[in-house]
Amino acid sequence: MKSLEDLKKLREKSIQSMNMRYVENGVRVQVGMGTCGIAAGARAVLNKFLEEINAREITNITVTQVGCMGECAFEPIVEVVDANGDSSIYCLVDERKVPEIIEEHIVNGVRLDRYLLSGVKR
Amino acid sequence: MDDLSLFMLDIVENSFNAHAKTVTVTLSDSIHENRLSLEIIDNGIGMDQTTLEKVTNPFYTTRTTRKVGLGIPFFRDSALQTGGDFAIESTPNVGTKIKAIYVLNHIDTPPLGDIAQTIQAILVDPRMERFVFDFITDVDTFHFDTDEVRAILGDVPLTDVGILGYLKEYIHTSIRTIRGGAI
């Protein structure tokens, strides 16, 4: 069984990569976590973002969660705010789309227009 | 909502919306008593009696983005339909306490779900200041407190993705162990 003792070792390791990871004004990823988002699978989407960012050792990025974004029928909704402040709102996000958003948008800087809320027909 | 861990996340979100600084969740899983209970206590702004009477109504919400509020009605109904119980108490400026009790062997009692993923989602909420979680079975208990974790971490943030991954695994393994290998 894991214990919190191991957390001390992990702390040392984290300190070494800290300078790289925590830079002001980096990319922000915000996952909508209202009742609608949760019921639609937002928690798994958040989890996938955290796992991928950890596995790929992406730095200069913050993942947080926010409340209902008001477009419940299009949940899970994820807002990506680039370092320059540009916002992209992705809708109907699932675990499969997460690696794609990370690879294309966050790593390569190319917005995925086909997944944007603004591109969805009502 | 498919399982108890999703209800837990949804209700804790309410606590943060109510500006709670500390949220305490106790999950009690007793085969002897044939009872599964989930209790959420916060020190948020609380509710007056009039509001409290309205929160289990699905057509009541404080949100301005939509006209329905399904979180608490879903949670209450899920417990009541197993023959269990549901209670909500609140005091303005003190906080709110919600408790749902399920009859463990009832067919409609939801599975536990991924508690570790729910706690991970709670930890990344920027409004979270302190989160305390206790899981109690007939034979063992598991205790988690962000203050204890922070004491070990020092200046390393709890929201570091590496730390979060570790904590998720730690919580998952601990719960599985005290439930005798089942999750």
Side-chain angles (χ1 to χ4, degrees):
Chain A
M1 186 166 159
K2 282 183 179 241
S3 80
L4 280 177
E5 283 301 303
D6 296 334
L7 199 58
K8 287 176 187 156
K9 289 176 217 151
L10 194 64
R11 177 181 177 271
E12 304 304 319
K13 210 179 118 199
S14 295
I15 284 173
Q16 287 159 16
S17 60
M18 276 270 278
N19 300 338
M20 293 293 291
R21 210 167 245 172
Y22 296 96
V23 183
E24 287 284 311
N25 307 320
V27 176
R28 272 186 297 134
V29 175
Q30 307 188 145
V31 183
M33 203 67 71
T35 303
C36 45
I38 294 169
R43 193 189 63 181
V45 168
L46 172 75
N47 183 57
K48 190 71 178 169
F49 266 105
L50 292 169
E51 280 182 356
E52 286 283 315
I53 288 165
N54 194 24
R56 298 180 58 143
E57 298 182 343
I58 294 173
T59 56
N60 198 9
I61 188 163
T62 319
V63 183
T64 58
Q65 52 137 312
V66 293
C68 171
M69 293 174 136
E71 287 282 0
C72 310
F74 299 98
E75 294 279 355
I77 293 175
V78 176
E79 181 177 12
V80 179
V81 183
D82 299 331
N84 63 9
D86 285 353
S87 159
S88 309
I89 296 175
Y90 290 103
C91 67
L92 300 169
V93 180
D94 56 25
E95 284 180 87
R96 187 182 50 84
K97 288 177 184 168
V98 173
E100 224 180 322
I101 293 170
I102 288 177
E103 174 70 26
E104 294 300 326
H105 187 137
I106 292 166
V107 176
N108 296 334
V110 183
R111 182 187 271 179
L112 288 163
D113 289 339
R114 64 184 181 281
Y115 295 154
L116 291 180
L117 180 64
S118 55
V120 172
K121 284 214 176 91
R122 321 225 152 188
Chain B
M1 300 288 169
D2 296 331
D3 60 50
L4 214 58
S5 72
L6 291 175
F7 282 120
M8 173 176 152
L9 177 57
D10 193 28
I11 302 302
V12 172
E13 286 296 302
N14 288 349
S15 298
F16 291 137
N17 291 337
H19 311 291
K21 302 238 183 293
T22 302
V23 181
T24 305
V25 174
T26 306
L27 235 170
S28 168
D29 183 13
S30 171
I31 295 167
H32 287 330
E33 292 175 27
N34 192 26
R35 221 169 82 117
L36 178 65
S37 73
L38 175 60
E39 183 181 62
I40 297 114
I41 301 174
D42 74 47
N43 62 353
I45 56 171
M47 289 172 279
D48 57 30
Q49 199 56 37
T50 323
T51 311
L52 195 58
E53 280 161 18
K54 288 190 277 193
V55 292
T56 51
N57 176 352
F59 299 103
Y60 176 77
T61 181
T62 56
R63 303 201 67 84
T64 50
T65 50
R66 52 180 157 78
K67 289 182 177 161
V68 293
L70 298 174
I72 292 173
F74 273 168
F75 189 35
R76 182 198 57 181
D77 291 354
S78 74
L80 295 185
Q81 72 177 354
T82 70
D85 205 357
F86 181 85
I88 177 165
E89 294 165 26
S90 193
T91 311
N93 305 316
V94 175
T96 301
K97 174 176 154 180
I98 295 188
K99 187 170 188 176
I101 299 171
Y102 298 81
V103 174
L104 190 62
N105 69 353
H106 192 282
I107 193 156
D108 290 327
T109 293
L112 211 53
D114 196 333
I115 300 288
Q117 247 193 60
T118 279
I119 294 179
Q120 176 182 250
I122 291 167
L123 298 183
V124 301
D125 195 309
R127 300 166 297 180
M128 192 279 300
E129 289 192 21
R130 185 181 181 195
F131 178 72
V132 182
F133 176 74
D134 285 284
F135 194 111
I136 302 162
T137 69
D138 291 322
V139 289
D140 214 343
T141 60
F142 167 65
H143 176 74
F144 178 86
D145 183 341
T146 51
D147 274 5
E148 289 166 21
V149 175
R150 284 200 179 106
I152 296 171
L153 287 176
D155 49 359
V156 174
L158 201 69
T159 48
D160 174 286
V161 284
I163 302 290
L164 284 172
Y166 176 85
L167 291 175
K168 187 182 69 172
E169 200 50 44
Y170 164 70
I171 294 163
H172 182 82
T173 313
S174 303
I175 292 176
R176 196 174 54 199
T177 305
I178 69 164
R179 293 189 95 212
I183 195 88

